[in-house]
Structure formats: structure tokens, C-alpha cells
Amino acid sequence: EVQLLESGGGLVQPGGSLRLSCAASGFTFSSYAMTWVRQAPGKGLEWVSTITDSGGSTYYADSVKGRFTISRDNSKNTLYLQMNSLRAEDTALYYCAKLWGQLLTPIDYWGQGTLVTVSS
Amino acid sequence: DIVMTQSPDSLAVSLGERATINCKSSQSVLYSSNNKNYLAWYQQKPGQPPKLLISWASTRESGVPDRFSGSGSGTDFTLTISSLQAEDVAVYYCQQYYSTPPTFGQGTNLEIK
């Protein structure tokens, strides 16, 4: 059974940093692209970032480019999202998700999410 | 970026009746090389993460009831629930994965009438 367990969310002041983690199990982690999608309270889904299976290529939404960094450790089956210079508009539930294959495939599994709140 | 627009924003349907949700992309998501539409539908129930229902516009995922079906090609797509059940109350999203950034529709809130 595929499981994705996010952690690292919390309350942070504007301008602060957080590092999200996602522990994956139940599939061959190193064979799939992984992604982060966020959902602001009461709002829709917004793609944040994607990383290829090897970690060799990364992609970011314009809204987070230059502030967020996605990475993965295939030896630990873990996905990360380093979030710097956080803004109020980054407040959201952050989902770790597995792509069906490589880039340009649908998301077939989602974690439960970790809540990030940016507020003074 | 490809803009995905769903209609309606909200929909109330009686139990056992048909529900239809539309999704329109600002450009075609049909790859001519493999004749596949890079379009997915997700269901999100309150307090839960989204769940993949349909990929490639019309391929139902394993375990998804056959009352759910997807259709369309190019820029216009439809999710149909043939006979609405109480457990189908949710927000439904379409998503294109034809190009980066992948983009979602704004969501359609489906309720029981």
C-alpha cells in the first residue's frame, strides 16, 4: 500500500523558513517523479513543485520560484520542500504526492497534508 | 500556462440522477504523437486529500465505481456521474498535465438536492 506521510508544517513568521518532509513507502520511490501541491484554506489546488525520479530536474511554480527548493533522498525514500522567505499567501495545506510515472503524468497518490501557517 | 475552467462552480443533483461537470482548457491537451489527452479528474471529500478518479480523460482508476465516466478531447472534457450516490458529495477538480506547470480547474462543488 502506497503511503505518503508529510511532516514539518507549523506556524512561522513572515520572512521565516520551514522544511517539509514526506516519508514514502509501499512503492519503489526512486522510480517515480514526486510533487508538492498546496491548498489554501477553503480554496482550490495549486501545484507548487515537481522533481524527477533521479532528482536531476526540478520545476517550480512562478509564485515560489527562488524561494522554495524541492529535493529528494532516494536512499531514505523521502521528499523535501525547503521553504524560505515565507509570505502570508504561502499559508496552505501542503500535499506530498506521487506521479503516476515521470513528468507529464497524473498524480495517483496523495498524502494527508501538512499545514503551513505564515503569520505574525 | 494552460488555464482550466470548470462549469458549473457548484451543482446540486438528486440522488439517483445524473451529474455532469465540464472542464475547458485554454489550449489543446491532446498529444498528437500518441493521441492521448493529458487530462485527469480528482475527487476531494471534506477533510480528505484529493483522489484520482480518471486519467487520460477517460480511463477510470482501479476501484472507482463505473458510474463515474470521463469524456472529451482537445479542449473540452466532461465528468459524468450516471446515478448520484450520497457518498459522491465532494469537490471535483480537473487537471491538465500536458505541460508544466500542471494546472487545475477551480473545482466544482457537488451537493445533494
Side-chain angles (χ1 to χ4, degrees), chain A residues 17-68:
Chain A
S17 298
L18 276 178
R19 188 195 198 201
L20 307 184
S21 299
C22 172
S25 61
F27 65 102
T28 305
F29 181 72
S30 59
S31 295
Y32 295 91
M34 297 292 294
T35 197
W36 290 96
V37 175
R38 68 186 181 184
Q39 187 169 34
K43 302 296 184 183
L45 302 169
E46 180 189 15
W47 171 77
V48 173
S49 182
T50 296
I51 187 168
T52 54
D53 53 351
S54 65
S57 294
T58 57
Y59 306 84
Y60 298 94
D62 286 345
S63 57
V64 308
K65 200 172 295 182
R67 301 187 298 122
F68 289 12

Side-chain angles (χ1 to χ4, degrees), chain B:
Chain B
D1 298 2
I2 298 177
V3 177
M4 307 299 290
T5 304
Q6 292 180 225
S7 61
D9 289 335
S10 128
L11 180 62
V13 174
S14 300
L15 289 172
E17 295 300 304
R18 178 184 299 261
T20 302
I21 299 170
N22 300 301
C23 175
K24 188 174 183 68
S25 56
S26 60
Q27 65 185 75
S28 176
V29 298
L30 173 63
Y31 243 115
S32 55
S33 60
N34 59 12
N35 201 37
K36 285 189 169 186
N37 287 284
Y38 284 53
L39 188 285
W41 288 98
Y42 301 90
Q43 175 193 62
Q44 187 177 32
K45 296 182 178 179
Q48 295 184 19
K51 172 188 174 184
L52 177 63
L53 294 178
I54 287 169
S55 57
W56 313 107
S58 59
T59 301
R60 198 167 43 244
E61 295 303 299
S62 173
V64 174
D66 61 7
R67 63 180 180 272
F68 290 90
S69 63
S71 63
S73 184
T75 61
D76 291 279
F77 300 90
T78 300
L79 174 69
T80 301
I81 307 172
S82 60
S83 177
L84 189 71
Q85 304 300 304
E87 60 265 32
D88 300 335
V89 168
V91 179
Y92 292 84
Y93 295 92
C94 62
Q95 180 219 8
Q96 67 79 18
Y97 45 95
Y98 177 91
S99 65
T100 300
T103 46
F104 295 89
Q106 78 277 18
T108 295
N109 187 31
L110 177 59
E111 300 175 329
I112 305 293
K113 185 187 290 183

Side-chain angles (χ1 to χ4, degrees), chain A residues 6 11-12 16 21 27-28 33 36 42 47 54 57 65 79 88-89 96 104 107 109-110 114-115:
Chain A
E6 302 97 336
L11 175 63
V12 60
S21 299
F27 65 102
T28 305
W36 290 96
W47 171 77
S54 65
S57 294
K65 200 172 295 182
L79 176 72
E89 55 266 34
C96 162
L104 305 185
I107 295 171
Y109 290 95
W110 302 67
T114 186
L115 182 62

